[in-house]
Every structure is written in C-alpha cells, then in structure tokens.
Amino acid sequence: MKLHTTTDAVLVLEDGTVFHGKSLGRVGTTGGEVCFNTGMTGYQEIFTDPSYYGQIVITTVSHVGNYGVQQEEVESGNIQIKGLICKEFSHHFSRKTAEGSLQEYFEKAGIVGICEIDTRELVRYVRDKGVMNAIISSETTDVEALKLQLQEVPSMAGLELSSKVSTLQQYDLPVAETRFKVAVLDLGVKRNILNNLTSRGCECRVFPYGTTFEEMEAWGPDGYFISNGPGDPAVTTEAVKSVEQILAIEKPMFGICMGHQILAQANGIPTYKMHNGHRGLNHPVKNLITGKSEITSQNHGFAVDAEAVRNHPNVEITHINLNDNTVEGIRIKNKPAFSVQYHPESSPGPHDSEYLFDLFVEMLEKEKKS
C-alpha cells in the first residue's frame, strides 16, 4: 500500500477562529460553509451526496477512512463536498471488499482536508455559533492571507447550486416491467432514491435542472418526483415554477428535502436558513398521521416556515422533528402531492421511512385507475 506523508494544515473560520492540524487528501486550499454530520458510518455516501455541494463537512465519528471506499456506495458520480474536517484520518483500510483508500480517492478528486484537530471542540463551537464559512489550507499557514481568501467564499443564503450538480442531459432508467412512468426533476438527486423508485416498477426519466414543465409532460409521465439538492430553495425559481404547473394538472407528486422546500415555495410558503441545520442518521421524526415515530437520515440547512403552513388553507403538516419541532413533512389537502424534509431512501441511515415510496406508488395506482 502506498505510503502518504502529511503536512501542516490550518482551518480558519469566518469569525477568525483558527484550528491547526495535519493535511489529508490533496495539498491545497478550499473554502465553503462548514457544517457537521452526526452519523457514525456511511462516510462515502455523505461525501458523494449532491446536497453537500459547497460545504466543508465535520465528521463527529472519531475515525474516517478505516474501511476504504468502493463504487457501490456512492450517491452520485463525484465527491460533492468542498472539504473534510475529522479527528483521525486513516490512510489504511481493513475491509477486504474495499477498492482503495479514502486518501487516494480524495487525491484523485482533488479534495482538501484537515485532521488531527479536536472535532468535539469544533462541533460544540459551530453548534453554538451556527454554520459559517471556513477555509482549509495545507499549502500555506498564513492565517491573515487565508482570511482574505475566505472573504471571497459566497454565503449559502441566496445561493443557487442545483444547476451545478444536476445532470446535464436527460437520461432514462428502464425497468423489467413498467408499472408507472415517473418524471424526476434532478436538483441533485441521490442514486438510492432512484433505486427505490425503479425497484417499485417506476420507469424514470431524469430531467436536468431548468427543464420546463412542458418538456417533462411531453414524455407522458404518470407522476413526478422532485429531488433533493444543495443551496437556497428560495432562489431555485425555475423548479418552483415547474412544481406550480404540476400542481395545476393534479398528477401525483413526491418531493424529498429540496423537493419538499420547493413544494412549499410553490404554495406560497417561505423557507428560512437554519442556525445549524440537520445532518446525521439519528434524527427522530413523528408522523402526525399515524402517530408513529421514525429515526431518520437528514441533510439540510434550510427549513419550511411552520407558521405559514399552519395558516395555509390547503397545506398541512404531516411530520415534525421531535428535537426542535421543525416541519419534516407536508401534504396538499386537495391535490395528490406530498413531501418530506428527510431522506427515506436511507443510505446511509435507518430504513424506518421507506414506506413513503410505497405511498407514492399507491397514489400512482389510484391516479391510473381513475
């Protein structure tokens, strides 16, 4: 196995706080919004999740890289994070099925990171102060120079990023026996979401960000799926317009994460940037329809305005987060459309919420019979 040497690295937060550590991945400099994920496993799925585009991720688990990487555990075609912060970074891996080390994976993708810092201290700091921009460098430790570079990193608020991670061309996902045709609006879709649709007999055509409603409807879909994705939903205006038009024709529609926020926006319900957001595999959510609770996988920094939902005559809250009572799911009372803020495809994470794909299929079946 190839031996790797580390260099000194530095992390500078937007408020001037500095952490010193060692390099991981490629030697270089990177900036983005720093946030933390509380998951204990599934790092490759996290790193390849398009919803993390533009962000530097702090992992709260002590060791990262110890089981290597393999192709079947990716959620997209690229590493999406801007950088990694961790406590112990393993250049060696023990899993026999691994196809390589995380270090080599990062080097190939050009990812810069920092390790050997007190991530507990850092996470507690970010938890209290809120998410903020940061810069990592392993090519210079000149803090004042890095502070100047950090000023050039854009704020996530008001930033449209779905167009950066969406497919450039539409593509089809055929199934052995097509039960339904589902048009997927790709705002940064994860592969396991598509797997959950195709495994239920949904032939999918995945459309790029910015595709008009008329183009998608021309395919003749039975229903629509609006995907997860990065950035501020308030400025993802093309998607909002398409969802408004889908609602007008009353075909079944299911949204996840960004798709959930877009459905809210299409009904005149605003979203807001959270103090920290929810990122991890252990978030408790209550289904208000069934009364049951779910342990969920989450990754979002924006949320739907709960008061605006309660005041809306045609939208109701279906799920709430039991940690902070934020909105985790809505449905349209007079139309076959619903959404959730969390990730029922559960990769990485628990499988409590996969029933939501079955509910979508039931809506498609009902629509086809009518």
Side-chain angles (χ1 to χ4, degrees):
M1 184 176 292
K2 180 182 176 183
L3 295 178
H4 297 275
T5 58
T6 60
T7 63
D8 290 338
V10 63
L11 165 69
V12 182
L13 301 183
E14 188 176 355
D15 65 0
T17 305
V18 179
F19 289 81
H20 293 276
K22 294 295 183 180
S23 65
L24 64 87
R26 182 178 67 85
V27 172
T29 301
T30 188
E33 182 183 78
V34 67
C35 61
F36 58 87
N37 184 293
T38 58
M40 300 298 287
T41 187
Y43 56 72
Q44 193 175 359
E45 292 97 326
I46 293 168
F47 301 157
T48 57
D49 179 352
S51 294
Y52 276 115
Y53 186 86
Q55 293 178 313
I56 296 172
V57 176
I58 313 165
T59 53
T60 56
V61 65
S62 296
H63 298 87
V64 175
N66 50 308
Y67 58 81
V69 297
Q70 57 186 29
Q71 183 59 29
E72 67 179 29
E73 293 176 356
V74 302
E75 287 291 351
S76 68
N78 303 292
I79 297 179
Q80 303 289 351
I81 62 172
K82 287 297 184 182
L84 172 66
I85 304 168
C86 66
K87 182 174 177 58
E88 299 293 338
F89 186 81
S90 178
H91 292 89
H92 305 283
F93 57 90
S94 57
R95 185 170 51 165
K96 292 182 179 179
T97 57
E99 297 159 3
S101 72
L102 186 56
Q103 171 65 25
E104 293 164 341
Y105 192 57
F106 275 0
E107 285 180 351
K108 185 177 180 180
I111 302 299
V112 175
I114 185 172
C115 61
E116 297 185 28
I117 68 170
D118 188 341
T119 51
R120 289 179 299 179
E121 179 186 356
L122 176 59
V123 167
R124 286 165 67 101
Y125 188 83
V126 173
R127 180 195 65 188
D128 294 341
K129 299 291 184 179
V131 291
M132 63 184 80
N133 284 347
I135 191 166
I136 299 170
S137 183
S138 51
E139 60 186 355
T140 179
T141 55
D142 185 337
V143 172
E144 295 307 314
L146 290 172
K147 286 180 180 178
L148 292 175
Q149 288 188 56
L150 182 52
Q151 293 176 13
E152 303 301 315
V153 178
S155 169
M156 190 65 71
L159 203 58
E160 186 281 299
L161 293 176
S162 288
S163 60
K164 306 292 186 184
V165 297
S166 176
T167 181
L168 297 177
Q169 296 181 331
Q170 69 180 43
Y171 61 93
D172 293 333
L173 295 173
V175 293
E177 184 177 347
T178 300
R179 296 175 63 195
F180 311 102
K181 293 170 66 177
V182 174
V184 177
L185 182 57
D186 180 9
L187 308 178
V189 70
K190 294 169 67 178
R191 287 185 178 176
N192 207 41
I193 289 176
L194 300 174
N195 292 341
N196 271 275
L197 291 170
T198 56
S199 68
R200 288 165 171 80
C202 296
E203 177 187 344
C204 296
R205 177 166 288 181
V206 183
F207 292 92
Y209 175 81
T211 302
T212 66
F213 163 73
E214 289 78 12
E215 289 177 86
M216 293 187 287
E217 183 63 17
W219 182 54
D222 300 303
Y224 287 84
F225 177 80
I226 315 301
S227 85
N228 62 294
D232 189 340
V235 296
T236 315
T237 52
E238 293 92 341
V240 172
K241 181 179 179 181
S242 293
V243 169
E244 290 173 345
Q245 293 171 296
I246 296 166
L247 287 171
I249 63 169
E250 301 190 7
K251 282 190 176 181
M253 178 167 50
F254 178 25
I256 288 177
C257 203
M258 175 69 83
H260 163 75
Q261 298 158 357
I262 295 299
L263 179 60
Q265 293 271 355
N267 283 276
I269 297 167
T271 55
Y272 64 92
K273 196 173 192 306
M274 304 175 74
H275 182 68
N276 263 311
H278 298 150
R279 299 175 182 89
L281 320 180
N282 52 359
H283 291 257
V285 167
K286 184 174 182 179
N287 183 325
L288 299 179
I289 308 302
T290 65
K292 294 181 179 180
S293 294
E294 308 161 28
I295 301 302
T296 67
S297 178
Q298 304 211 7
N299 174 20
H300 63 101
F302 293 82
V304 170
D305 187 311
E307 192 63 26
V309 180
R310 295 188 183 100
N311 292 332
H312 198 292
N314 296 320
V315 182
E316 67 175 323
I317 299 173
T318 57
H319 299 74
I320 60 166
N321 189 294
L322 293 176
N323 285 334
D324 59 11
N325 291 317
T326 52
V327 177
E328 292 283 0
I330 59 174
R331 67 179 179 185
I332 314 305
K333 295 179 182 178
N334 56 347
K335 298 179 187 294
F338 73 105
S339 62
V340 290
Q341 181 64 80
Y342 53 98
H343 285 269
E345 78 281 356
S346 306
S347 180
H351 302 281
D352 299 25
S353 309
E354 285 189 350
Y355 71 90
L356 292 162
F357 291 99
D358 297 325
L359 290 179
F360 182 48
V361 167
E362 289 173 12
M363 289 171 58
L364 292 167
E365 286 178 337
K366 183 177 180 181
E367 180 68 18
K368 209 159 190 180
K369 290 177 180 177
S370 64

